[in-house]
Amino acid sequence: MDHFLYRNGQLHAEDVPLSEIAAQVGTPFYCYSSATLLRHFHLFDDALSGMDHLVCFAVKSNSNQAILKLLADQGAGMDVVSGGEYARARAAGVPGERIVFSGVGKTRAEMEAALTGGIRQFNVESEPEMQALSEVASSLGVSAPIAIRINPDVDAKTHAKISTGKSENKFGIPISRAREVYALAASLPGIEVVGIDVHIGSQLTDLEPFRAAYQKVAELTEQLRAEGHQITRLDLGGGLGIPYTRSNEAPPLPHDYGVMVKETVGHLGCEIEIEPGRLISGNAGIMVTKVIYVKSGEGRDFLIVDGAMNDLVRPSMYEAHHDIVPLREPNPGVEQQPYDIVGPVCESGDTFAKQRDMPPLVAGDLMAFRSAGAYGAVMASEYNTRPLIPEVLVQGDQFAVIRARPSYEDIIARDIVPDWA
Ligand code: LLP
């Protein structure tokens, strides 16, 4: 459920008509609903109730500081994957003890910044990374709390580009080698083992791959404990999928996920961390665009809109489907017609949807791409020197621009032309 609904014939974000925001900030723009974000966070938080736990929002899905602050104020932790995300989370006021640092390629500079600024744990993905972390921590006179990300070799049954838990993926340490790597961790002076980490992929629409992975984590926990390691925390990753279409999709709910977590690892007495991104932010955001032209092609009509692949890359990158709806509610029974919906970027890949049934639209009409709150704004670029589009946050009947659209001057001023050029 989200808070983007038609009221009085107009699509609203909570209590604000989106056309009003469009009139003030121009199109295209992203718009997020606070109530939806918080609702999704609390679904997870409640699903794990009864267990000591921390829901760490995956900052990569939406890293605007206003969003991070909103969630952190409700007690959320953060999962970061770069020095930049760490700095954003800290700038948004998230205490270091609620930040976990994931990712396969943390640099020594990133490690040092997190150790100095405060960190809950590093999720370590290789032996060389662990050696480097031990050296950095020792040089600062501290020890680094770590979980080792194990690769359980399960098939997440999701898009190949976002599947991470198979042995051929670059992520984690093969579970078959976990015990020797934990033994190495115990021998390193700057490392303090606190737990095990696993993340098998994103947009999972079935609980069984999670169950298979978490059962392996439970077995490993018992083995490692028998070998003398302190395993007090399990980070179970993110990845629970969302419905991208309103009609036929019904991925498992956070509540069912929570039940499965309790069944698989509940008996171990560990503190549980999870790292959901998409389920919290995905359906809490939309991208609003305007039709620039309606172009009649050979046997098809194109809606050329002012949003493009640089603003929302998911359709061209993953063939992802986003529901697209007009801001003006179509009259009941209106006859739909198929359109190819494309942006102005000079690539055929700049196509959002082919032969999508829509009510008849004309130039100037506004449309919303739904489910764009996760991996939307954060994956945008300035390709074709198109300014990053603004982000707007709604709460009840108020809204605020939480990232402004840069001007052409702002963009151009970043280039440095050397004297000799
Ligand atoms: N934890 C780790 C270690 C991750 O790598 C990810 C996502 C998450 C948590 C959050 O997963 P989520 O709950 O959001 O599924 N750009 C792609 C998705 C990439 C996901 C990468 N890792 C997309 O637009 O579908």
Side-chain angles (χ1 to χ4, degrees), residues 166-187:
K166 287 288 288 172
S167 54
E168 67 259 31
N169 300 130
K170 68 178 174 183
F171 299 98
I173 284 172
I175 193 159
S176 55
R177 291 190 42 240
R179 290 160 68 194
E180 61 184 273
V181 180
Y182 272 88
L184 170 67
S187 75

Side-chain angles (χ1 to χ4, degrees), residues 58 60-61 79 102 149 162 199 201-203 237-240 275-279 314 318 375 379:
K60 64 167 78 70
S61 72
D79 167 48
S102 303
R149 177 165 175 184
I162 53 175
H199 170 82
S202 197
Q203 186 52 20
L240 194 57
E275 304 170 349
R278 192 189 313 264
L279 201 138
R314 303 192 70 258
Y318 313 112
Y375 308 109
M379 292 180 79

